[in-house]
Amino acid sequence: MSESLYERLGRTEGITKIASDLVDLHVSNPVIAPRFADSCREVLKKGASAFFIAGTGGPQLYEGKDMLETHRGMNISEREFIATLDDVLKTLEKNNVAQREQEEVLFVLYGMKSDIVFV
């Protein structure tokens, strides 16, 4: 049996680092930074970490809102969505995540597009 994506991304420790780095990129990315202006960075990091851990097969329970509920009414553009995915890719590369895992993460996130863009 092969390892889960959770295990291949470094389990809780690795994913927490990835999520932290991702939030740092998001809040400095001029395309999407305004979306985070009134947010607590540590709360964002905790939520992103829990979401990634649960979504990759880890033991953490994600108790936050689903993607549609989170993004409803925000009118997120295609440009913002792509900027977010670009940040994800940069973060995965920074954390030396292998190509296969990068593709899996991006595939999952891209699959959520209809719950995020212009909802």
Side-chain angles (χ1 to χ4, degrees), residues 5 8 89 92-93 96-106:
L5 184 55
R8 290 180 281 136
L89 183 56
L92 295 173
E93 289 172 345
N96 299 310
V97 172
Q99 181 71 31
R100 175 181 172 203
E101 286 72 27
Q102 289 180 28
E103 291 170 1
E104 286 182 52
V105 169
L106 290 172

Side-chain angles (χ1 to χ4, degrees), residues 1 3 5 7 16-19 21 23 32 40-41 60 72 83 85 88 90-91 108 118:
M1 179 177 248
E3 291 183 312
L5 184 55
E7 293 166 324
T16 299
K17 172 80 168 80
I18 290 167
D21 290 347
V23 169
I32 59 175
C40 172
R41 193 178 293 204
Q60 177 126 8
R72 187 181 309 271
L85 293 181
V88 170
K90 288 176 191 172
T91 301
V108 169
F118 296 124

Side-chain angles (χ1 to χ4, degrees), residues 30-83:
V31 176
I32 59 175
R35 297 280 186 181
F36 302 100
D38 296 327
S39 301
C40 172
R41 193 178 293 204
E42 291 311 309
V43 170
L44 291 171
K45 288 180 179 188
K46 184 177 179 184
S49 179
F51 178 78
F52 265 90
I53 290 169
T56 57
Q60 177 126 8
L61 216 68
Y62 177 70
E63 297 176 356
K65 297 176 185 177
D66 64 28
M67 289 296 104
L68 183 58
E69 187 179 348
T70 298
H71 298 95
R72 187 181 309 271
M74 293 178 70
N75 201 29
I76 293 173
S77 70
E78 179 86 21
R79 181 174 181 246
E80 290 172 302
F81 183 72
I82 296 301

